[in-house]
Structure formats: C-alpha cells, structure tokens
Amino acid sequence: MANATSRGAPNIMIAGTPGTGKSTLGKELSQRTGLNYINVGEVAQAAECMEGYDEELQCGILDEDRLIDELEDVMSQGGNVVDYHSCEFFPERWFDIVFVLRTDNGILHSRLTKRGYCEKKIESNISSEIFQVILDEAKESYAEGIVHELPSNTAEELESNLDQIVQWLENWKSQH
Ligand code: DAT
C-alpha cells in the first residue's frame, strides 16, 4: 500500500473551523502548484456519503467509512490538497502534512454571518474555534511535527501561508 515515501507527490490536509479560509487557500494552492484540490464536502454530496442531517447544526452527517473508501485510490496516488473542517477520522498514512487554519473570533463571526448561517450555527463554530477543537483533534491524530497552525485573518496572511506551503512542497520534492 502506498505511503508517504512511495508516493510521487505529497498529500496536504487543510483543516479548520468553517469560515477560516480552507477553500480559498486550497484552491489557490492548487492553481499555483498543480496539486489536485479535493473539497471533501462536495465529494461527499456527489458520492452520496451522507447518512442523515443534523437539524440543530443544519448540516449533513458524514458517512466517514464510505467517504474514505471513495477517496482511497486518489489519495494513494498522492498530489492532493484536501479541504475539510476536521481531519481526525482520515487514515493517518494519507497525509504528509496537516495545516489547521485559525481565525480571530470577530473576523470569523462576520464571515459566517455573511455566509448566512443562523446564530446557533455561528455560535457553535465560534466556540469550536475558541476551544481549538480542530487543532487539538489534529494533534491527537497525527505524528508530532506533521500538524501546523496557520493564522488566516488577512490577505497578507493568506499570501504568507501560500508562500510557506509552496516552499515546503519544494523541499519535499528535493528530498524524495
Ligand atoms: P472555509 O473553506 O474554511 O469555510 P472560505 O475559504 O470559504 O472558508 O473563506 C470564508 C470567507 O473568508 C470567504 O469570503 C473568503 C474569506 N477569506 C478566507 N481567507 C481569508 C484571509 N486569509 N483573509 C481575508 N479573507 C479571507
């Protein structure tokens, strides 16, 4: 089975609370590097990997095993940028590096309001961000040194994050 050392290109996970900028970063990274961008939410919808609907949080409930089966082949080949809010349920072997985006509460609140989320959903996401739920889950699920926190508040930070990831990718290629 393919692992980090046998893949021709690395797999990069972009995680973070909704609204922290995963899609913005992931799509731009894909454009700049040619890596294949995977929006897990869209794949799950298209492949019917949902197993119900959470009325309280107004979002679909993911069938994780089915989704993993769906993505296994493409992930084994490497060269993917994966965008999903959480990453703790993916196989650890899939990822060479995991980035968790972080956004200040006020900024996140205004992004989620613009998105039209109801107050309950906004509060739930803000509190998840305050308690760094996604970051802690990522750290518990992946080896030390794999998980990196990135600030994602401003256009300058977006640009700096892109530069850092592109640099990491160059280093990876020169070492493999
Ligand atoms: P996510 O995919 O995590 O839900 P997104 O990429 O859709 O988030 O971004 C949410 C909104 O915030 C969108 O209007 C773009 C904007 N945004 C994302 N990253 C940003 C950044 N670093 N600086 C300013 N705005 C940003």
Side-chain angles (χ1 to χ4, degrees):
M1 187 168 283
N3 59 31
T5 49
S6 64
R7 290 192 288 256
N11 287 321
I12 298 174
M13 177 73 216
I14 313 277
T17 305
T20 50
K22 301 178 297 293
S23 307
T24 306
L25 177 70
K27 285 178 190 164
E28 185 59 30
L29 185 63
S30 165
Q31 286 212 334
R32 292 191 191 186
T33 61
L35 290 173
N36 175 44
Y37 171 72
I38 298 177
N39 182 311
V40 170
E42 286 173 9
V43 171
Q45 287 288 352
E48 297 179 358
C49 300
M50 309 307 287
E51 57 181 4
Y53 191 79
D54 184 328
E55 292 293 344
E56 195 176 332
L57 289 178
Q58 297 185 8
C59 64
I61 300 165
L62 192 61
D63 181 337
E64 296 172 354
D65 292 339
R66 203 159 161 187
L67 178 81
I68 288 168
D69 286 348
E70 185 68 30
L71 288 174
E72 183 66 59
D73 284 351
V74 72
M75 293 304 293
S76 298
Q77 286 163 25
N80 300 290
V81 181
V82 176
D83 162 357
Y84 196 58
H85 61 269
S86 80
C87 57
E88 33 81 36
F89 65 90
F90 293 125
E92 190 181 354
R93 65 188 151 76
W94 274 8
F95 296 106
D96 299 277
I97 195 158
V98 174
F99 294 103
V100 180
L101 303 189
R102 304 301 310 280
T103 301
D104 295 346
N105 306 335
I107 294 173
L108 188 59
H109 194 283
S110 84
R111 286 184 194 167
L112 295 178
T113 304
K114 271 190 206 144
R115 193 175 271 187
Y117 280 10
C118 68
E119 198 51 40
K120 197 170 192 173
K121 194 166 176 175
I122 293 176
E123 274 171 24
S124 148
N125 282 307
I126 299 277
S127 113
S128 165
E129 184 62 4
I130 290 170
F131 290 108
Q132 58 178 59
V133 173
I134 308 285
L135 180 65
D136 286 349
E137 281 176 356
K139 284 184 173 169
E140 280 164 23
S141 309
Y142 294 87
E144 215 183 323
I146 294 275
V147 179
H148 302 270
E149 202 176 349
L150 292 175
S152 182
N153 300 291
T154 63
E156 290 74 23
E157 285 174 347
L158 171 63
E159 201 54 42
S160 159
N161 293 339
L162 284 162
D163 286 347
Q164 284 180 58
I165 302 174
V166 168
Q167 186 61 52
W168 175 86
L169 188 61
E170 293 304 318
N171 291 345
W172 191 96
K173 283 181 187 162
S174 67
Q175 288 166 12
H176 291 82

